[in-house]
Amino acid sequence: MSIPLIIQKLKAVGLKGRGGAEFPTWQKWLWVKQARAKKKFIVCNAAEGDPYSKKDGYLLNHFPEEVIKGIEIALRTIDNSQAFIYLRQDYYQKFRNKLIKLAKNLPIKIVKKRGGYLSGEETTLLNVIEGKEAQPRLRPPYPAQAGLWECPTLINNLETFYFVAKIYENKYKQTRFYTLSGKIKNPGVYQLPLNWTIQKILEQTNNLPKTDFFLQVGGIMGEIILSSETNKPLKGLGVIVVHSFQENPIKLMRGWADFFNHENCDRCTPCREGVFRIEEMIKKGKINFKELEDIFFVLKQTSLCPFGRMVPLPFESLIKKIILRKK
Amino acid sequence: MKIIIDGKSYLAKKGETILEVAQRNHLEIPALCYHSDLKIKSNCRLCLVEIRGRKGLFPSCSTIVEPGMEIITDSPRIRRARKINLELIFAQYREECQDCLWGFRCQLLNFARKYKIKIDRFEDRKKNYPVYQFGPAIIFDSSKCIDCRNCLEVCQKQGVGFLETKEKGAFFRIVPSSDKNKDCIYCGQCALHCPAGAFEGVGEFEEVEKPLKDKNKIVIFQYAPSIRTTIGEEFGFAYGKVLTNRLVAGIKKLGVDKVFDVSVGADFTTVEEAKELAERIEKKRDLPMFTSCCPSWVKFVEFYYPQFIPNLTTVRSPHIILGGLIKTYWAEKVKINPKKIIVVSIMPCLAKKYEITRNELFIQDKIKPVDYVLTTRELAYLFHRHQIDLRKIKPRKPDNPLGFPSGAGVIYGASGGVMESALRTLAKNITGKKLGKIKFKEVDGIKKARVKIGSRSLKIGVINGIGKAKEILEKLKINPSLFDYLEVMACWDGCIGGGGQPVPTNEEIRKKRAEGLRQIDKKKKVRIAQENPIVKKVYQEFLTEPDKIHSLCHTFYSHKPRVGFKILSANQKNNH
């Protein structure tokens, strides 16, 4: 089988998934394209569960035509396929009608997300669309092998589909969408070059704080970095949150712990119980670093899905770079 | 293919998981949420192993073997991860070891010892979680739940779905359903598949111990067919080991006055059920006939499928018939006031605790045929409490004040046994000949056969598991002539896999238990119920009038409202 032109183009420009995992898009497309099955599915993921990210909403508001175009290209590339646009509740209310209109006769269904943050995770999303409990699935099989109703399924972030349309028209300029927030003057969503450093992004959007600061990059599960570490492009989810040293880092951790404790699926021991204990410790204001280290160890080593494995990163980097450094 | 575990080579089949290979070869990897009856959930995260050449830890329950895979089941990293995860499991769990039926058989405690964990490293997260009681049968202490979700799956597999998850605060909890269209059928499979002892029968120890001390009471224990092949497990005997005489000796040592074998009652059930089947076939009425010795199945029909109530045989279950005969026929013979008699049934079952509360079964509307039900697990606990060790006890022959059971009565404990017993009797009654071997064909988990008795060819089916039964009921709605006679047991492989049996229970163990019962049957001289001398005698001397037969051997059914659950405070629980 020859490789379709669009997949060759995706490979040539090096497009990576914009949901945060940065998996090469062309590879997913090729797997699903080449999978042998009578029926295949495409999912456009606009769950946007990260509390700091706003770019999917921004794209739905300003560029829905391109998003539909991107899905249409996928539908044409992958035989016998059907598509779903998976929208978080507020986007569903706001954009459903507009998307139905734009989709015209294309086999695209608009579905509403159930559940919280985790329902944006790709295997959990499959369960939600199938009407099952919002819980992650064991991998393998991967969605490209057996996704929706056991059929090969291509799942891409909404922004990825937007750029597929651009690449198709040879109008892609190696950019991405960033959501900037926190202690800055001009928060918002910006389309900027991929290779800009975080420092340059803050400068060019006129968001560089006057006093020293630290940042969380890549979303609520992203790493904490110091202002001295901003001379590199952003990895993961396109989210930058700027914090000032006036803020209480414990309060910041408490916010994360609350969020993770509420948003996890409660299925595996380290995540269900470990995250609860992190929250408990922070709430009580008595942080036992030995205990934290143990919990982080099992979260990273033994969690069932990436969620649990990623929980320790923001805490560990904040503790190391900010809390312990202050002392 | 060959794989290597801890430096030794083992054979593995394609598609097997590491844990399956390890368990087959008796290599110990701790696993709590894994149960071979159920889907792999991989959520306790204890069965972690390392794989040479790969980064990180892997759950052995969900990792499929590959040729040449080199697996390490113990290392400082593995130990550390298991230890912390165990501490986190204990952190949610409220321990009550001194009152727990499991005693030395508790996996959780064994792992805690092995990994030297601090079980109180964290404050119990669930200490204020409620304790529920389902009907008169089951206690669910949700403060002991470790969120493995085995109960949820078995309850769904049973087609009942009484257990659900509910999000409250930051957590999903397992709760009994508030849906008015759902009710628990007390099969107790949740208790059998829970790795943490969160489900148990409603304990009746104190009520049982009181009359034992009371000189004015005559206490009678009767044990169900399957107990003789399962009680040994609680004392370290091999699976399926037949221990009738040690069981009797143990019961006697408790101070029990007389010990009866429920299999004798089963012979009466068989005779009556064969009669009823012959009658229904003759009149072509209410077919297929359903067996009714399983109270969970009866409750399922009454609550979920009342349109099939006429199909249930009206014959009482063996221990109810025997209890009734003890309090009437036997009491008269030995000249004891039936009010002084306390009958305790040892059952493999939690639903039997519910069955004895059905007032349709009371004799002359007032005498309970059976006063208390203890499960196999509870009897073992009672033995332990009285320092009775079945390994050390001198076996005693059963006194069987009413005589001995036939082989037919004994196989009641295994799936297919009730039907086979009834057909043996039916064949003998109609043709005068022995029933040939029934050749079952298993299709979609249902054993089907055609049995020729005289000029008739009967379509029979044996089902275990309510989920399967539900499928058949749906088919019978459309085509009632699919079967003439159906045996349904709620528990997988029948009563030997009952909700009151020792933990663990799985397919392999159930097979061995059933084999034990079949061996007894093969050795019996009398293998047909109506040839049992005691059955003949009772029918000659006592069960002579239709009314009397009816009041002791038959019952009736009706559509029942939902019983649901109630919330108990911790101190309202009995002996758990």
Side-chain angles (χ1 to χ4, degrees), chain A residues 205-248:
Chain A
T205 57
N206 202 14
N207 274 321
L208 197 65
K210 288 202 175 72
T211 54
D212 196 14
F213 62 97
F214 61 94
L215 323 85
Q216 189 177 14
V217 292
I220 193 164
M221 306 201 94
E223 191 183 3
I224 291 290
I225 61 171
L226 298 168
S227 56
S228 58
E229 296 172 296
T230 53
N231 194 21
K232 61 183 179 192
L234 178 64
K235 291 259 183 284
L237 193 65
V239 165
I240 297 171
V241 187
V242 176
H243 294 285
S244 96
F245 279 96
Q246 310 305 313
E247 289 173 67
N248 178 357

Side-chain angles (χ1 to χ4, degrees), chain B residues 44-102:
Chain B
C44 76
R45 312 311 271 187
L46 288 185
C47 67
L48 306 155
V49 295
E50 289 175 30
I51 299 172
R52 201 171 296 281
R54 294 191 203 174
K55 259 182 153 176
L57 298 173
F58 297 83
S60 58
C61 66
S62 61
T63 308
I64 308 283
V65 292
E66 285 168 26
M69 197 182 240
E70 240 185 288
I71 295 137
I72 299 134
T73 70
D74 197 7
S75 74
R77 189 160 59 133
I78 292 171
R79 283 189 160 254
R80 183 178 178 208
R82 287 181 186 163
K83 181 173 187 274
I84 298 166
N85 279 345
L86 262 174
E87 282 172 337
L88 287 171
I89 286 170
F90 272 96
Q92 58 182 141
Y93 183 89
R94 194 172 57 87
E95 302 86 35
E96 266 187 317
C97 301
Q98 67 280 11
D99 285 335
C100 177
L101 293 189
W102 286 8

